Amino acid sequence: MLVVGVGLRIGDLAANGVYPTTAEPSREANSQQDSQQQPKRPDRIAVFAQSPGQGTPHTYGGTVLYDACEILPLEALPKLGLAITPELVVIHQYFDGDVPAPAIVKQDTLARSSSCTYGVPNGARVSVDMYQPPFSDDRQMEANRPDPEDGPISTDRKFDVITYRDDRVEQWVTTISRPDLIVEAQVHDPTGDISGWDGRAIAEALRGPLVSRTLAGPAPHRLPSYNSGYEGAKNPCDALPPSALEAAFHKPAAPHAVAVFQVGDSIMREFDGSVAFRIDASCTRHSLVDEGLLAPDYVESKLGTSYWQDERGAETRQQAECRDTVLGIKPIPVSLRIGDGPVCIKEVGKKAYTLHFKVGRTTATLSARGGVDDPQQETQRLAPMAVQIAESLRS
């Protein structure tokens, strides 16, 4: 869970709002400490980090887009008194391509041009949402601007700024706004027992840094990176590009991804007694269509990946995945050759299937909305995506 850092005070934020960079301990450091203090390696260690993006920021309808994880990067959390622990989950929504003005579509009311969330399993989280026209329409912009009914509005470097408590959803909110941009940060703690952290203090501490990093201008989206033996892990959103959806469903796909990263690795104990470690991530992509997920022809696909510390762990898991019946779900063998291990499909619900395959040290699970009744037909529907994903993971 999120832990308040010892000796860290919210008021220690730099006056210019620039977040500090904290180094992530290496596995060697962890191993040395473990050998001195613990009889064995812990089941989980933090292995995920973020790095600045490359190239230029992307555009939507000609508007240069901000990246929410660039506004609130992972390394900023300790300065807010929140430790980076293995239990942390990072959810990053971002554009990784351009959408020209003639191709823009009307979004559903829940869409954000970018968002960045740092959360823990019990529902507590700190997140940032970006609203920019034309991706965000007039309704969204007006609905999310600071409202004097919520509290006093101040001005900071030509931004309207407000911090208030939203009891409806049990969170503190800080919003900064100007005519062409809204940045909203939320501090959510549904149980109120996250090591005694002060949601209001965190929300207020974000005010200056949000303005400062926004004034620095748009930057390319933040990139994931791994350490401690997981350096070869790929971002699943790179393995599942928009072109993969287009090849499978013959519809335009949005260069808009939702990536989920586990900060810590996980231990897997197989039925045969073997033990292996892995890092999990996923990516969801969707079609470029008016009204987004509310549209009848909306298509969405999800790729889940596990990158293992050694290929033996990946081989053992894939063999078990396509052999064992678990919770009444029996894997169905697939004759297609995808990757370098057994391939199978599972029926996990009504017209809901997951296709499982392996490439090197990565085991993958692929699914899509709007499945058919027959597992073999669903395999054929997912196969063009799976083949492209396997090629990307292999390269």
Side-chain angles (χ1 to χ4, degrees):
M1 65 181 178
L2 290 176
V3 181
V4 176
V6 177
L8 292 172
R9 296 181 299 168
I10 299 302
D12 289 340
L13 275 170
N16 63 2
V18 177
Y19 296 117
T21 300
T22 57
E24 188 69 35
S26 66
R27 169 149 300 180
E28 288 74 20
N30 275 299
S31 298
Q32 183 178 5
Q33 184 179 13
D34 290 343
S35 64
Q36 296 172 353
Q37 300 180 3
Q38 300 179 11
K40 65 175 183 177
R41 176 204 187 278
D43 285 353
R44 304 196 74 183
I45 60 173
V47 299
F48 174 87
Q50 289 174 338
S51 59
Q54 300 174 352
T56 58
H58 293 289
T59 62
Y60 186 87
T63 298
V64 182
L65 298 170
Y66 282 85
D67 176 59
C69 282
E70 182 64 32
I71 300 298
L72 181 62
L74 178 68
E75 62 265 25
L77 297 187
K79 195 61 178 180
L80 297 172
L82 305 174
I84 300 173
T85 68
E87 294 77 20
L88 198 68
V89 177
V90 179
I91 305 174
H92 188 191
Q93 182 177 210
Y94 60 92
F95 272 88
D96 55 1
D98 301 326
V99 178
I104 67 172
V105 296
K106 185 178 181 180
Q107 303 296 323
D108 61 81
T109 57
L110 297 178
R112 286 99 169 99
S113 57
S114 180
S115 64
C116 188
T117 299
Y118 304 101
V120 289
N122 67 355
R125 64 180 182 271
V126 179
S127 59
V128 171
D129 293 334
M130 311 296 299
Y131 298 91
Q132 289 182 263
F135 184 89
S136 305
D137 62 21
D138 292 343
R139 295 174 303 166
Q140 283 185 307
M141 297 298 288
E142 290 306 313
N144 289 283
R145 290 196 189 281
D147 187 339
E149 293 188 1
D150 292 324
I153 300 173
S154 61
T155 302
D156 183 355
R157 289 163 281 181
K158 298 184 179 181
F159 279 91
D160 290 336
V161 183
I162 188 173
T163 298
Y164 65 96
R165 169 77 180 179
D166 188 343
D167 289 321
R168 297 169 301 173
V169 287
E170 300 175 303
Q171 65 186 16
W172 281 91
V173 179
T174 287
T175 302
I176 69 170
S177 171
R178 67 187 186 198
D180 63 338
L181 175 67
I182 298 172
V183 184
E184 183 179 278
Q186 305 106 24
V187 184
H188 183 65
D189 180 11
T191 60
D193 62 356
I194 308 304
S195 299
W197 73 347
D198 187 340
R200 178 176 183 173
I202 294 172
E204 290 180 343
L206 284 167
R207 293 165 66 109
L210 290 181
V211 173
S212 295
R213 292 189 72 92
T214 301
L215 285 175
H221 64 84
R222 283 251 153 175
L223 301 175
S225 62
Y226 294 94
N227 54 58
S228 305
Y230 297 99
E231 288 81 359
K234 283 197 170 185
N235 180 352
C237 292
D238 291 341
L240 178 65
S243 59
L245 267 72
E246 294 171 348
F249 302 122
H250 311 291
K251 296 178 180 180
H256 197 213
V258 180
V260 180
F261 303 103
Q262 303 290 330
V263 168
D265 63 356
S266 299
I267 188 170
M268 184 70 193
R269 294 181 172 88
E270 299 286 359
F271 291 125
D272 64 2
S274 62
V275 174
F277 292 89
R278 71 179 194 272
I279 189 72
D280 297 328
S282 70
C283 178
T284 301
R285 288 194 182 272
H286 59 86
S287 54
L288 186 65
V289 59
D290 272 328
E291 298 293 348
L293 58 83
L294 301 178
D297 55 345
Y298 175 82
V299 173
E300 180 180 282
S301 186
K302 179 179 180 180
L303 171 67
T305 60
S306 294
Y307 185 79
W308 300 78
Q309 276 207 315
D310 56 67
E311 190 160 353
R312 181 179 178 182
E315 290 174 350
T316 302
R317 176 86 299 264
Q318 188 63 20
Q319 291 288 343
E321 194 76 65
C322 289
R323 179 192 64 225
D324 299 337
T325 299
V326 179
L327 299 177
I329 299 176
K330 182 178 181 180
I332 303 169
V334 169
S335 59
L336 293 176
R337 183 168 181 79
I338 303 172
D340 52 24
V343 183
C344 59
I345 192 167
K346 297 181 180 182
E347 185 173 5
V348 295
K350 184 175 177 59
K351 293 186 179 181
Y353 297 88
T354 52
L355 182 66
H356 302 260
F357 54 97
K358 170 192 165 294
V359 181
R361 288 165 58 182
T362 302
T363 53
T365 302
L366 180 64
S367 61
R369 286 179 53 156
V372 296
D373 283 325
D374 181 73
Q376 297 304 327
Q377 290 182 19
E378 180 67 2
T379 299
Q380 294 300 321
R381 190 173 81 111
L382 297 176
M385 272 193 297
V387 169
Q388 189 167 336
I389 291 167
E391 291 175 353
S392 177
L393 292 173
R394 188 180 295 112
S395 63

